[in-house]
Every structure is written in C-alpha cells, then in structure tokens.
Amino acid sequence: MRYLHTMVRVRDIDESLDFYCNKFGLKEVRRTENEKGRFTLIFLAASEDEGRSAAERAPELELTYNWDPEEYTGGRNFGHLAYVVDNIYETCQNLSDKGVVINRPPRDGNMAFIRSPDGISIELIQKGPALAPQEPWLSMPNTGTW
C-alpha cells in the first residue's frame, strides 16, 4: 500500500489557488475538467515533492471544485484519503472479512471506498490498470455514503 493524496472540496478555484499556491507555496501539477460529472480536479504538490508527483502521482493535495453550487457543512469539504493497492479485490475481501463495510465496491476493478470508524472516507485505487470486473463486486450495491 502507498499513500496517494488527500482531497478537499473548494467553493472558489481562484481563491483556493491563491491560498494554496501563492500564499502556502504549493504548485499545480495537473488539472482535469470533467463536463459529464460537472467537476474540476486540481492536483497540487509541495516543491520538494514535484518530482515524485510527476513520477508517482503522489504525494499530492487534490482540490475538487463541483460546478454546481453546494454548501459544505460538517466536514463535507474534506473529501477522502487515497491509497493505491496491489489487488483491489483481495484488499476489499480482506477488509470485508475483518468486518469493514465496503461502501463503494470495486465494480470497475479500479476503485473502492471504505470509511474509518470516525466517518473518514478512504479511497482504494488499483495499482496499474484496472482489473477485469468480477463478482461479487460487479453486482454489489453501494452501502451508506462514501
């Protein structure tokens, strides 16, 4: 397992980039616009992490801007922790066997979400290309929120 990024939702891209980049000193390393999902992802890295960010896409801070207005309360602006795993199916099965609820199963062979006892979302991402979809994950519904 390897740490990837922490995601924080932002309400104003310009204001956030001014804070994180101009004031705090992080650097934008990549950006994704998703018209279908109506969001923008901006990944930032500290100056000493830029090389690792380029090579490994970690460690980074992910700023998520949802195009539709939303009021963030109760920590909703903090998104999730993210970790890459060697085999997402084995990892999810191991967690499930230990009583951890898989809130968003890895139906796509690439991504799953679980929650900590304190309600912190944790994203699990398949290392390398996505695995072929397989049961029981393929038909497993979401449970709760993630």
Side-chain angles (χ1 to χ4, degrees), residues 34-39 66-68:
N34 187 309
E35 287 190 39
K36 184 178 179 182
R38 301 189 46 74
F39 63 84
N66 292 310
W67 299 357
D68 299 318

Side-chain angles (χ1 to χ4, degrees), residues 21-39:
C21 296
N22 298 335
K23 295 174 180 164
F24 191 58
L26 299 180
K27 297 185 180 179
E28 183 174 335
V29 293
R30 72 180 180 285
R31 182 183 292 223
T32 302
E33 303 276 338
N34 187 309
E35 287 190 39
K36 184 178 179 182
R38 301 189 46 74
F39 63 84

Side-chain angles (χ1 to χ4, degrees), residues 8 11 13-14 19 22 44 47-48 56-58 75 77 84 92 98 100 105 107 109-110 113 125 135 145-146:
V8 175
R11 44 179 181 71
I13 290 177
D14 294 331
F19 171 78
N22 298 335
L44 308 177
S47 59
E48 291 186 23
E56 304 173 30
R57 292 192 168 207
N77 58 319
V84 67
C92 287
K98 294 176 180 174
V100 175
R107 290 183 291 273
N110 188 57
F113 276 87
I125 299 174
E135 295 295 346
T145 59
W146 43 275

Side-chain angles (χ1 to χ4, degrees), residues 5 7 9 62 79-83 88 92 95 100-108 110-116 120-125 137 140-146:
H5 64 260
M7 185 269 269
R9 289 181 179 85
E62 173 190 329
H80 59 264
L81 302 175
Y83 292 87
I88 196 153
C92 287
L95 290 165
V100 175
V101 173
I102 309 300
N103 299 101
R104 194 281 192 187
R107 290 183 291 273
D108 56 4
N110 188 57
M111 177 183 66
F113 276 87
I114 60 174
R115 290 176 76 86
S116 77
I120 300 298
S121 291
I122 301 172
E123 179 181 19
L124 306 172
I125 299 174
W137 313 107
M140 187 180 290
N142 292 343
T143 301
T145 59
W146 43 275

Side-chain angles (χ1 to χ4, degrees), residues 50-85:
E50 281 186 90
R52 283 189 58 210
S53 172
E56 304 173 30
R57 292 192 168 207
E60 298 172 332
L61 174 63
E62 173 190 329
L63 302 182
T64 296
Y65 173 72
N66 292 310
W67 299 357
D68 299 318
E70 183 178 345
E71 182 68 28
Y72 300 122
T73 59
R76 172 97 173 110
N77 58 319
F78 173 79
H80 59 264
L81 302 175
Y83 292 87
V84 67
V85 298

